[in-house]
């Protein structure tokens, strides 16, 4: 069944999401059912605010909470941010996105958007994480 998710957890964390000029370009709905074992998410950011951006993937089926972050590939092109998620196996995953403007020297990044992803199958590329830089 569905993992327990606190009220207000899913979707954009307002007002921070808007203040940072972020836009969920490809997937505005925070609940995504994924077929085929991979998902590509596309975000846009306003030019005025260069952002540090980080994503965390947590497998959360049953009473498991397992970090699956190595299965995310993050790529930036100009004002576009692309996240490719490769699911190591079927199940529910929380995708948590964190961001802060580069100009802000604070090292902690606040949460800006949370997804709940339901993968019907693992990636056809197998249980291989992306190479880490």
């Amino acid at each position: 069944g569905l993992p327990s998710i606190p009220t207000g957890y899913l979707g954009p964390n307002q007002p921070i999401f808007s203040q940072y000029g972020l836009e969920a370009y490809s997937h505005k709905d925070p609940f995504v059912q994924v077929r085929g074992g991979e998902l590509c998410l596309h975000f846009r950011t306003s030019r005025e605010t260069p952002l540090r951006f980080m994503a965390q993937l947590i497998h959360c089926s049953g009473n498991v909470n397992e970090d699956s972050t190595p299965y995310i590939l993050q790529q930036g092109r100009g004002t576009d941010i692309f996240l490719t998620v490769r699911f190591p196996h079927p199940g529910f995953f929380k995708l948590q996105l964190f961001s802060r403007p580069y100009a802000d020297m604070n090292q902690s990044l606040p949460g800006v958007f949370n997804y709940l992803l339901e993968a019907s199958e693992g990636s056809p590329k197998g249980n291989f994480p992306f190479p880490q830089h």
Side-chain angles (χ1 to χ4, degrees):
L2 279 169
S4 66
I5 300 287
T7 304
Y9 171 82
L10 292 176
N13 178 11
Q14 297 294 9
I16 293 174
F17 190 74
S18 298
Q19 284 171 355
Y20 288 0
L22 283 162
E23 177 194 358
Y25 192 72
S26 63
H27 294 78
K28 294 175 183 8
D29 187 332
F31 177 62
V32 183
Q33 291 178 302
V34 182
R35 309 273 176 260
E38 289 194 13
L39 173 68
C40 186
L41 295 149
H42 180 186
F43 289 83
R44 286 221 161 119
T45 176
S46 61
R47 266 177 238 281
E48 306 85 60
T49 315
L51 298 173
R52 286 183 283 163
F53 195 86
M54 189 191 96
Q56 182 178 31
L57 185 68
I58 299 166
H59 175 229
C60 59
S61 292
N63 42 6
V64 172
N65 267 307
E66 173 186 42
D67 187 5
S68 300
T69 302
Y71 294 90
I72 302 172
L73 176 65
Q74 180 178 317
Q75 297 171 296
R77 284 189 216 114
T79 58
D80 294 302
I81 300 163
F82 298 94
L83 299 174
T84 302
V85 180
R86 179 183 292 168
F87 296 95
H89 42 72
F92 286 99
F93 294 82
K94 291 186 284 193
L95 178 63
Q96 303 176 143
L97 308 178
F98 304 89
S99 187
R100 186 178 290 285
Y102 273 110
D104 186 332
M105 300 307 347
N106 188 327
Q107 289 306 304
S108 75
L109 304 182
V112 292
F113 203 105
N114 292 314
Y115 284 97
L116 179 62
L117 310 175
E118 182 183 12
S120 61
E121 57 197 306
S123 170
K125 295 185 175 77
N127 189 353
F128 298 105
F130 289 100
Q132 299 301 301
H133 300 288

